[in-house]
Amino acid sequence: MEKAVIKDCRYKGNFAELTLLAGTKPLRYEVEITLEDATLLKQSKNCEFEAKGNKLVRLFVEGKEIPLNKNNQPDRRRPDEVQRNTGKNIEKQNNKKTGTRNKTSTNTQASGEYAKAPYNFVPINETVIPAETIPEFDYYHKDRYTGYIDLDIEALTPLYIRDTYTKEEEVLANQAKEACKICKNKDCDKCNYAKHRVNPDFFAPGGIPKIPGSSLRGMVRTLVEIVSYSKMEFTEKNKYFYYRKVANRGRYQDAMLCDCGGLRPKTEAGWLKKEKGKHFIYPLEKQQIYRINAYPKANGSKWKVVTVNDEGQRVSEELDRFDFYPISFIPVEEEIHNHGGGTIKLLYALIEENSFELGHQKAESDERYEKGYLVLSGSIGSKKHLHPVIHCPKDEGRIEVNQDIIKSYEEDMGREPEADLLKMLKKHPDGVPCFYLKDDEGNIKSIGHTPFYRLAYDKTVKEHIPQKNRNFDGIDIATAIFGNADKFAGRVFFEDAKMVKNAGQYPALSPRVLSTPKPTTVQHYLELKTGGIADWNDDTFIRGYKLYWHRRTPQKGGYQWEATEKEKEKAKSQLTLIRPVREGTRFSGRIRFENLSELELGALLFVLELPPKCAHKIGLGKPLGFGSIRINPTLVITNRAANRKGNPGRYEKLFDNKQWYLPVEQVTKDFKAEFSRRIWAALPDEEKTGASSVNDLWSIPRIKELWTMLYYDKEHMENPKWLEKTRYMKIEREGVPAREKNEFKGQPLLPSPCEILNIEEF
């Protein structure tokens, strides 16, 4: 048996492309294994193997033997020589061997392809490299560098950064917001103005279009953090994500459902109030949740509720979704009801049409009726829906809701605003119906608008960052350069980049509606766990730094970035207006720096002056193909004191031939190479496994993933095959068979950046 390092394992269907490093020789095998074994290989660093001739015979990982097929052929190509159509070759071989797609595979969709997305991830580093000593700020150090970097920036695709409100626009928007607080018509012009009215112009303070220095700073800092192996910062580390999986067996059903002969919710109902800055839930007169049927209107904005009046006539009323209404009803007992063609048994108390009336008047005049509240949710499709009816609240016995629960609830960006209990409280200060779960000690542990509300995962984002990275308590290189608000200032200062060449600007128009980031799409945002797809409750890591692919999309036609006529008609309330600058527009900016070391200055230049066929990404609309820019930096180092040649320093001479004296040094040192060499030397061997060139950071697999995300080739980026691979997936695709409409079905996995390029064939 020979020992080897597992450099890579790329899985598709029943097959994995496995790369082993035995000594200095890379060996590639296509192996037929299970997803569970592929996951184990992907998470392991070392293995033992036996090969006969050019065939892999046996493979052991962590003491376990991985069952192999008999046709494993080695591929002795270097990683950088692998053809881009590797993935397609594997798919063809799969079809030859099996004759059919593996329908049980969780990382393929109906078409047998990987997941699609306009973004991908650069892995997080486990090792954090400490910074050098922070210099004192009260003088210029002779062994450090002060100066500036001039930036020549060219837009390679349309570029857009939104301008700010004018004073007049701000006044109008605020007036509209106040007016729409009492309006429930989502198509109202004033409401739309309040929600979506923005200045469509490009950022142009003083009338001069500019790229804000803050935008450049954020982009550069992220890249420096990645390449310098700094601690992952600026993530919402203490944030909990929320989820709702009513139909799926697992944690959600275990937490929210109990089986009492039929399934019923574990949640209790109550009345949420805010009193003196704190939140309390008041119990109800009776703890019983009833149900009535309601029918959605065609546009989904209203519910139709049908009752039977005293004359026996059916009367319907239209009610707003996500609202609640007083109701009089005749209580009934819980019974088992069959759903799903009899496959699902639910336990609930159903109130029929002739047993309730909206309003409390009926209960005040007829003792058979009791007072309560009907709680309406949002609509799902065009089918009728069961809505809860609860009793009225008591005036005593309140339970305080911990402020941490409230804060976490506020941070759930996936919740529909209309279903937000805290926003409802602003409209109804006397309280709103709510549902909740208690822990074993009787404390509130979660709240929601309906019995099956969105639950927070048990673990925060921070708990999914590699331990060595998240526990690093020193100062890393990125923090040393850019500063820490609590401890010390940064030593780099980004100026706005002014437009110096106007290649034109688009008229005000609406871009396509963008999806919001959904970290609960766990098969994209989290690494695999042993046995399959993980979620935010599992002990696994986040995929890394999220970056967007370069894409060259047309304004009109296939993969267009302008809103379609259908969107303009049906998604009117979600549209906005923009005026991007055109491709070819140029900007000129400057980064000033003080007292940077060779390492720190090298880090800046390393991420500013990218390798050939690489470009940066900035601004809004990145998923649509906006924001690709190429930066050409020019380094200028200033002399603050007399240099070795005896030339006067910055403040030792004012004028030079009737001009301001600006002492500068000729730059001869290769700061980028020095940065690359020193980071390489500081990294442990396991972080460099698979690198193809000593002292070259770009050859390390993790940094190669960054290179892949920065890769820009005009013909490549506008190729329809590339645009197809890097678009957002859809829940309801048009013009395809019903089984292929939902591209998220089966939870297809998102490959790594290098795998995306390898899969693609041009």
Side-chain angles (χ1 to χ4, degrees):
M1 300 290 287
E2 294 184 60
K3 293 183 178 180
V5 173
I6 302 172
K7 180 186 175 296
D8 198 10
C9 179
R10 301 177 181 181
Y11 190 73
K12 183 171 183 180
N14 287 333
F15 292 85
E17 186 182 46
L18 179 64
T19 304
L20 305 180
L21 284 178
T24 59
K25 290 184 178 180
L27 296 172
R28 272 182 195 274
Y29 297 95
E30 182 195 316
V31 292
E32 185 176 358
I33 57 177
T34 65
L35 174 62
E36 183 176 356
D37 287 338
T39 304
L40 178 61
L41 285 165
K42 200 173 183 71
Q43 294 175 344
S44 302
K45 294 181 179 179
N46 301 296
C47 70
E48 290 184 287
F49 74 99
E50 180 182 345
K52 289 185 179 179
N54 60 356
K55 293 183 179 181
L56 185 64
V57 178
R58 303 184 76 185
L59 178 65
F60 289 83
V61 178
E62 297 181 3
K64 175 187 176 182
E65 182 169 7
I66 307 296
L68 303 173
N69 70 347
K70 304 300 182 184
N71 298 310
N72 301 319
Q73 302 294 326
D75 183 345
R76 299 183 183 272
R77 294 172 293 174
R78 296 192 309 274
D80 57 349
E81 294 174 336
V82 177
Q83 298 175 1
R84 287 186 179 175
N85 62 352
T86 297
K88 297 234 173 183
N89 290 342
I90 292 175
E91 181 176 320
K92 290 174 183 176
Q93 292 170 31
N94 286 353
N95 292 338
K96 288 179 182 178
K97 292 176 182 179
T98 65
T100 179
R101 183 176 58 84
N102 177 16
K103 296 182 180 180
T104 62
S105 175
T106 57
N107 69 331
T108 57
Q109 55 194 29
S111 61
E113 298 180 354
Y114 288 107
K116 300 176 174 70
Y119 56 82
N120 213 298
F121 300 88
V122 176
I124 304 172
N125 48 293
E126 291 194 36
T127 300
V128 177
I129 298 178
E132 300 163 318
T133 302
I134 305 298
E136 295 181 17
F137 286 78
D138 54 352
Y139 67 96
Y140 293 103
H141 297 254
K142 291 183 179 180
D143 60 342
R144 289 178 174 264
Y145 298 90
T146 296
Y148 54 88
I149 304 171
D150 282 331
L151 306 177
D152 174 36
I153 303 171
E154 179 187 7
L156 303 175
T157 63
L159 172 66
Y160 183 69
I161 298 170
R162 191 178 293 285
D163 202 0
T164 56
Y165 271 135
T166 64
K167 288 184 177 180
E168 293 78 10
E169 288 169 336
E170 189 171 1
V171 169
L172 287 172
N174 287 333
Q175 289 175 348
K177 285 178 182 177
E178 291 300 317
C180 77
K181 283 182 180 179
I182 58 174
C183 176
K184 294 182 178 180
N185 180 6
K186 71 174 186 177
D187 293 321
C188 169
D189 289 338
K190 286 185 178 180
C191 289
N192 283 325
Y193 185 97
K195 292 176 183 175
H196 306 289
R197 173 61 178 172
V198 288
N199 184 346
D201 288 334
F202 193 90
F203 182 75
I208 302 173
K210 300 175 182 178
I211 299 175
S214 58
S215 297
L216 291 165
R217 179 188 174 92
M219 177 193 73
V220 172
R221 195 202 188 286
T222 297
L223 295 177
V224 168
E225 189 174 303
I226 294 171
V227 301
S228 66
Y229 285 73
S230 292
K231 183 176 182 178
M232 190 178 208
E233 295 287 357
F234 302 124
T235 58
E236 298 173 291
K237 292 185 177 180
N238 296 316
K239 183 183 180 69
Y240 291 92
F241 291 120
Y242 280 69
Y243 70 111
R244 184 174 181 268
K245 298 180 179 179
V246 179
N248 296 349
R249 295 185 183 276
R251 291 189 182 97
Y252 187 88
Q253 286 194 0
D254 292 342
M256 303 295 280
L257 283 170
C258 64
D259 193 344
C260 308
L263 298 175
R264 69 186 304 274
K266 291 181 181 179
T267 47
E268 298 180 44
W271 204 261
L272 181 66
K273 290 186 179 183
K274 186 176 183 180
E275 298 172 345
K276 296 182 179 180
K278 296 182 178 181
H279 292 83
F280 299 89
I281 290 179
Y282 283 79
L284 304 180
E285 294 172 350
K286 295 179 183 178
Q287 190 49 253
Q288 172 65 57
I289 302 172
Y290 306 88
R291 302 282 182 168
I292 69 166
N293 283 315
Y295 305 84
K297 285 203 67 181
N299 61 7
S301 63
K302 301 274 187 179
W303 285 104
K304 184 175 73 172
V305 175
V306 179
T307 61
V308 178
N309 62 20
D310 292 338
E311 288 75 36
Q313 298 172 325
R314 297 179 81 241
V315 179
S316 65
E317 292 193 50
E318 291 183 1
L319 307 177
D320 291 316
R321 64 182 200 150
F322 297 115
D323 212 341
F324 63 97
Y325 296 86
I327 189 174
S328 299
F329 65 96
I330 299 175
V332 294
E333 296 294 325
E334 288 184 335
E335 294 180 352
I336 291 177
H337 300 263
N338 292 321
H339 288 255
T343 60
I344 303 173
K345 297 184 182 299
L346 303 181
L347 182 64
Y348 56 87
L350 179 63
I351 302 174
E352 301 292 349
E353 294 177 356
N354 59 357
S355 299
F356 72 91
E357 226 177 68
L358 292 175
H360 284 161
Q361 295 84 352
K362 187 71 172 179
E364 292 169 353
S365 62
D366 190 332
E367 61 182 11
R368 295 177 303 159
Y369 288 78
E370 295 185 7
K371 293 181 181 180
Y373 287 89
L374 166 63
V375 183
L376 296 172
S377 66
S379 58
I380 303 176
S382 58
K383 296 182 179 180
K384 69 179 181 180
H385 191 67
L386 291 166
H387 294 267
V389 171
I390 63 174
H391 286 278
C392 294
K394 296 180 181 179
D395 293 328
E396 58 186 8
R398 70 182 188 177
I399 307 172
E400 184 177 352
V401 183
N402 188 288
Q403 185 57 33
D404 290 341
I405 301 293
I406 297 298
K407 183 180 178 182
S408 175
Y409 183 90
E410 287 179 314
E411 292 175 346
D412 179 16
M413 304 305 293
R415 181 181 296 108
E416 292 204 44
E418 298 162 288
D420 191 320
L421 291 171
L422 305 182
K423 291 180 179 179
M424 290 182 188
L425 278 176
K426 295 179 181 179
K427 185 178 177 182
H428 303 283
D430 291 334
V432 296
C434 77
F435 298 83
Y436 61 93
L437 287 172
K438 292 189 292 189
D439 61 22
D440 294 338
E441 297 177 355
N443 300 313
I444 306 294
K445 66 178 184 180
S446 61
I447 60 174
H449 172 59
T450 61
F452 297 108
Y453 50 79
R454 291 166 60 81
L455 274 183
Y457 284 104
D458 298 334
K459 297 176 185 282
T460 62
V461 174
K462 182 178 180 178
E463 293 173 90
H464 296 279
I465 295 174
Q467 187 174 6
K468 287 169 64 177
N469 188 298
R470 72 171 181 260
N471 291 341
F472 179 79
D473 59 0
I475 299 173
D476 58 58
I477 295 171
T479 303
I481 296 171
F482 289 85
N484 182 311
D486 300 326
K487 297 178 181 178
F488 53 86
R491 287 169 286 136
V492 289
F493 315 95
F494 288 73
E495 299 179 1
D496 292 347
K498 300 178 182 178
M499 181 189 287
V500 293
K501 177 187 175 184
N502 188 350
Q505 194 169 0
Y506 290 89
L509 46 78
S510 295
R512 302 202 69 170
V513 178
L514 287 173
S515 300
T516 55
K518 293 181 176 61
T520 47
T521 307
V522 290
Q523 67 272 25
H524 290 195
Y525 283 79
L526 291 176
E527 293 183 359
L528 287 173
K529 66 176 181 178
T530 301
I533 294 171
D535 65 27
W536 292 96
N537 282 327
D538 289 315
D539 294 322
T540 189
F541 299 138
I542 56 177
R543 291 282 297 273
Y545 294 86
K546 183 179 179 182
L547 301 177
Y548 286 88
W549 292 108
H550 291 292
R551 310 173 77 230
R552 288 181 57 84
T553 52
Q555 181 180 352
K556 296 281 190 181
Y559 308 101
Q560 69 183 68
W561 57 260
E562 186 178 352
T564 63
E565 294 304 318
K566 185 176 181 180
E567 284 178 315
K568 292 176 183 178
E569 180 62 31
K570 293 192 173 183
K572 193 184 303 182
S573 62
Q574 300 177 52
L575 296 177
T576 186
L577 290 173
I578 61 172
R579 292 196 66 211
V581 298
R582 294 181 182 273
E583 171 188 345
T585 301
R586 300 186 86 95
F587 298 83
S588 179
R590 177 170 289 180
I591 304 171
R592 300 185 181 274
F593 59 89
E594 295 177 350
N595 286 331
L596 293 186
S597 67
E598 288 184 4
L599 176 72
E600 293 165 342
L601 184 52
L604 279 181
L605 293 170
F606 192 88
V607 301
L608 287 170
E609 190 175 19
L610 297 175
K613 286 201 171 183
C614 285
H616 295 85
K617 195 93 165 165
I618 199 169
L620 301 180
K622 296 183 188 75
L624 296 175
F626 287 11
S628 295
I629 58 173
R630 179 158 285 134
I631 298 177
N632 292 310
T634 301
L635 173 64
V636 177
I637 295 175
T638 59
N639 293 316
R640 295 290 162 168
N643 64 16
R644 298 182 185 90
K645 295 181 180 180
N647 294 326
R650 175 68 178 87
Y651 299 112
E652 296 177 341
K653 182 179 178 180
L654 275 180
F655 299 101
D656 182 22
N657 194 24
K658 297 183 181 182
Q659 301 290 328
W660 289 109
Y661 176 61
L662 298 174
V664 296
E665 274 187 30
Q666 184 177 2
V667 179
T668 57
K669 184 179 288 292
D670 190 342
F671 291 97
K672 288 169 54 181
E674 179 66 11
F675 168 76
S676 184
R677 184 191 67 78
R678 290 179 61 180
I679 295 297
W680 179 282
L683 287 174
D685 289 342
E686 57 265 25
E687 291 275 7
K688 297 180 284 192
T689 300
S692 58
S693 178
V694 176
N695 292 332
D696 180 8
L697 279 190
W698 292 111
S699 75
I700 295 176
R702 174 176 172 267
I703 305 302
K704 193 179 290 183
E705 300 284 14
L706 173 62
W707 180 92
T708 306
M709 291 304 301
L710 299 175
Y711 176 75
Y712 179 90
D713 176 82
K714 184 175 180 179
E715 292 183 2
H716 185 141
M717 269 54 242
E718 62 190 13
N719 189 300
K721 292 183 181 179
W722 176 251
L723 298 179
E724 172 66 17
K725 287 289 182 184
T726 56
R727 63 168 173 81
Y728 276 119
M729 296 198 302
K730 299 178 181 179
I731 295 177
E732 292 188 8
R733 292 180 69 197
E734 297 180 355
V736 297
R739 67 179 181 278
E740 297 180 15
K741 283 186 177 295
N742 185 355
E743 293 184 289
F744 289 93
K745 187 176 181 180
Q747 294 185 293
L749 300 181
L750 184 66
S752 69
C754 287
E755 288 173 317
I756 295 288
L757 282 177
N758 281 344
I759 290 165
E760 195 51 53
E761 183 179 36
F762 293 99

